[in-house]
PDB file of all heavy atoms in Angstrom:
ATOM      1  N   MET A 348    -253.343  80.462  10.310  1.00 96.00           N
ATOM      2  CA  MET A 348    -254.527  81.210   9.633  1.00 96.00           C
ATOM      3  C   MET A 348    -254.115  82.203   8.691  1.00 96.00           C
ATOM      4  O   MET A 348    -254.835  82.503   7.747  1.00 96.00           O
ATOM      5  CB  MET A 348    -255.373  81.858  10.815  1.00 96.00           C
ATOM      6  CG  MET A 348    -255.912  80.844  11.730  1.00 96.00           C
ATOM      7  SD  MET A 348    -256.941  81.784  13.125  1.00 96.00           S
ATOM      8  CE  MET A 348    -258.455  82.079  12.261  1.00 96.00           C
ATOM      9  N   VAL A 349    -252.935  82.685   8.684  1.00 96.00           N
ATOM     10  CA  VAL A 349    -252.470  83.687   7.865  1.00 96.00           C
ATOM     11  C   VAL A 349    -251.199  83.334   7.077  1.00 96.00           C
ATOM     12  O   VAL A 349    -250.438  84.162   6.441  1.00 96.00           O
ATOM     13  CB  VAL A 349    -252.220  85.068   8.642  1.00 96.00           C
ATOM     14  CG1 VAL A 349    -253.641  85.581   9.064  1.00 96.00           C
ATOM     15  CG2 VAL A 349    -251.234  84.952   9.749  1.00 96.00           C
ATOM     16  N   GLU A 350    -250.861  81.998   7.038  1.00 96.00           N
ATOM     17  CA  GLU A 350    -249.579  81.642   6.468  1.00 96.00           C
ATOM     18  C   GLU A 350    -249.490  81.907   4.940  1.00 96.00           C
ATOM     19  O   GLU A 350    -248.518  81.955   4.392  1.00 96.00           O
ATOM     20  CB  GLU A 350    -249.374  80.175   6.820  1.00 96.00           C
ATOM     21  CG  GLU A 350    -250.389  79.178   6.303  1.00 96.00           C
ATOM     22  CD  GLU A 350    -250.060  77.728   6.659  1.00 96.00           C
ATOM     23  OE1 GLU A 350    -249.029  77.539   7.258  1.00 96.00           O
ATOM     24  OE2 GLU A 350    -250.882  76.778   6.358  1.00 96.00           O
ATOM     25  N   ASP A 351    -250.743  81.897   4.384  1.00 96.00           N
ATOM     26  CA  ASP A 351    -250.784  82.195   2.906  1.00 96.00           C
ATOM     27  C   ASP A 351    -251.156  83.591   2.524  1.00 96.00           C
ATOM     28  O   ASP A 351    -251.446  83.939   1.465  1.00 96.00           O
ATOM     29  CB  ASP A 351    -251.742  81.074   2.265  1.00 96.00           C
ATOM     30  CG  ASP A 351    -253.152  81.224   2.707  1.00 96.00           C
ATOM     31  OD1 ASP A 351    -253.346  81.919   3.809  1.00 96.00           O
ATOM     32  OD2 ASP A 351    -254.036  80.790   1.938  1.00 96.00           O
ATOM     33  N   TRP A 352    -251.119  84.507   3.533  1.00 96.00           N
ATOM     34  CA  TRP A 352    -251.345  85.994   3.457  1.00 96.00           C
ATOM     35  C   TRP A 352    -250.008  86.583   3.146  1.00 96.00           C
ATOM     36  O   TRP A 352    -248.964  86.279   3.813  1.00 96.00           O
ATOM     37  CB  TRP A 352    -252.026  86.441   4.646  1.00 96.00           C
ATOM     38  CG  TRP A 352    -253.575  86.057   4.722  1.00 96.00           C
ATOM     39  CD1 TRP A 352    -254.141  84.890   4.410  1.00 96.00           C
ATOM     40  CD2 TRP A 352    -254.546  86.808   5.404  1.00 96.00           C
ATOM     41  NE1 TRP A 352    -255.401  84.822   4.748  1.00 96.00           N
ATOM     42  CE2 TRP A 352    -255.735  86.015   5.371  1.00 96.00           C
ATOM     43  CE3 TRP A 352    -254.567  88.090   5.921  1.00 96.00           C
ATOM     44  CZ2 TRP A 352    -256.969  86.488   5.849  1.00 96.00           C
ATOM     45  CZ3 TRP A 352    -255.860  88.604   6.485  1.00 96.00           C
ATOM     46  CH2 TRP A 352    -256.995  87.798   6.348  1.00 96.00           C
ATOM     47  N   THR A 353    -250.053  87.662   2.502  1.00 96.00           N
ATOM     48  CA  THR A 353    -248.870  88.509   2.456  1.00 96.00           C
ATOM     49  C   THR A 353    -248.874  89.461   3.514  1.00 96.00           C
ATOM     50  O   THR A 353    -249.887  89.690   4.260  1.00 96.00           O
ATOM     51  CB  THR A 353    -248.889  89.407   1.056  1.00 96.00           C
ATOM     52  OG1 THR A 353    -249.965  90.363   1.161  1.00 96.00           O
ATOM     53  CG2 THR A 353    -249.071  88.521  -0.293  1.00 96.00           C
ATOM     54  N   ASP A 354    -247.632  90.052   3.783  1.00 96.00           N
ATOM     55  CA  ASP A 354    -247.546  90.996   4.764  1.00 96.00           C
ATOM     56  C   ASP A 354    -248.554  92.220   4.572  1.00 96.00           C
ATOM     57  O   ASP A 354    -249.093  92.736   5.549  1.00 96.00           O
ATOM     58  CB  ASP A 354    -246.042  91.519   4.858  1.00 96.00           C
ATOM     59  CG  ASP A 354    -245.169  90.465   5.455  1.00 96.00           C
ATOM     60  OD1 ASP A 354    -245.635  89.557   6.052  1.00 96.00           O
ATOM     61  OD2 ASP A 354    -243.992  90.656   5.324  1.00 96.00           O
ATOM     62  N   ALA A 355    -248.777  92.513   3.332  1.00 94.00           N
ATOM     63  CA  ALA A 355    -249.505  93.675   2.963  1.00 94.00           C
ATOM     64  C   ALA A 355    -250.981  93.321   3.404  1.00 94.00           C
ATOM     65  O   ALA A 355    -251.686  94.247   3.759  1.00 94.00           O
ATOM     66  CB  ALA A 355    -249.418  94.054   1.511  1.00 94.00           C
ATOM     67  N   GLU A 356    -251.419  92.064   3.068  1.00 95.00           N
ATOM     68  CA  GLU A 356    -252.736  91.730   3.432  1.00 95.00           C
ATOM     69  C   GLU A 356    -253.015  91.708   5.051  1.00 95.00           C
ATOM     70  O   GLU A 356    -254.062  92.071   5.447  1.00 95.00           O
ATOM     71  CB  GLU A 356    -253.074  90.353   2.821  1.00 95.00           C
ATOM     72  CG  GLU A 356    -253.188  90.338   1.409  1.00 95.00           C
ATOM     73  CD  GLU A 356    -253.346  88.881   0.780  1.00 95.00           C
ATOM     74  OE1 GLU A 356    -252.582  87.939   1.365  1.00 95.00           O
ATOM     75  OE2 GLU A 356    -254.165  88.750  -0.189  1.00 95.00           O
ATOM     76  N   ILE A 357    -252.010  91.255   5.681  1.00 96.00           N
ATOM     77  CA  ILE A 357    -252.122  91.367   7.062  1.00 96.00           C
ATOM     78  C   ILE A 357    -252.182  92.870   7.676  1.00 96.00           C
ATOM     79  O   ILE A 357    -252.962  93.133   8.464  1.00 96.00           O
ATOM     80  CB  ILE A 357    -250.750  90.625   7.696  1.00 96.00           C
ATOM     81  CG1 ILE A 357    -250.818  89.231   7.532  1.00 96.00           C
ATOM     82  CG2 ILE A 357    -250.779  90.992   9.348  1.00 96.00           C
ATOM     83  CD1 ILE A 357    -249.765  88.307   8.054  1.00 96.00           C
ATOM     84  N   TRP A 358    -251.401  93.650   6.987  1.00 94.00           N
ATOM     85  CA  TRP A 358    -251.369  95.001   7.431  1.00 94.00           C
ATOM     86  C   TRP A 358    -252.651  95.669   7.053  1.00 94.00           C
ATOM     87  O   TRP A 358    -253.188  96.723   7.691  1.00 94.00           O
ATOM     88  CB  TRP A 358    -250.339  95.925   6.809  1.00 94.00           C
ATOM     89  CG  TRP A 358    -250.042  97.247   7.276  1.00 94.00           C
ATOM     90  CD1 TRP A 358    -250.168  98.424   6.493  1.00 94.00           C
ATOM     91  CD2 TRP A 358    -249.733  97.661   8.558  1.00 94.00           C
ATOM     92  NE1 TRP A 358    -249.797  99.409   7.311  1.00 94.00           N
ATOM     93  CE2 TRP A 358    -249.670  99.050   8.492  1.00 94.00           C
ATOM     94  CE3 TRP A 358    -249.468  96.876   9.799  1.00 94.00           C
ATOM     95  CZ2 TRP A 358    -249.253  99.771   9.701  1.00 94.00           C
ATOM     96  CZ3 TRP A 358    -249.260  97.645  10.968  1.00 94.00           C
ATOM     97  CH2 TRP A 358    -248.997  99.102  10.868  1.00 94.00           C
ATOM     98  N   ALA A 359    -253.452  95.263   6.043  1.00 93.00           N
ATOM     99  CA  ALA A 359    -254.670  95.750   5.651  1.00 93.00           C
ATOM    100  C   ALA A 359    -255.819  95.360   6.649  1.00 93.00           C
ATOM    101  O   ALA A 359    -256.932  95.913   6.438  1.00 93.00           O
ATOM    102  CB  ALA A 359    -255.010  95.322   4.162  1.00 93.00           C
ATOM    103  N   LEU A 360    -255.666  94.543   7.581  1.00 95.00           N
ATOM    104  CA  LEU A 360    -256.517  94.261   8.611  1.00 95.00           C
ATOM    105  C   LEU A 360    -256.846  95.546   9.296  1.00 95.00           C
ATOM    106  O   LEU A 360    -255.990  95.971  10.202  1.00 95.00           O
ATOM    107  CB  LEU A 360    -256.232  93.058   9.427  1.00 95.00           C
ATOM    108  CG  LEU A 360    -256.145  91.635   8.922  1.00 95.00           C
ATOM    109  CD1 LEU A 360    -255.352  90.739   9.672  1.00 95.00           C
ATOM    110  CD2 LEU A 360    -257.526  91.197   8.547  1.00 95.00           C
TER     111      LEU A 360
END
Side-chain angles (χ1 to χ4, degrees):
M348 296 177 78
V349 294
E350 63 183 357
D351 57 346
W352 288 32
T353 66
D354 290 345
E356 288 174 323
I357 291 176
W358 188 242
L360 289 166

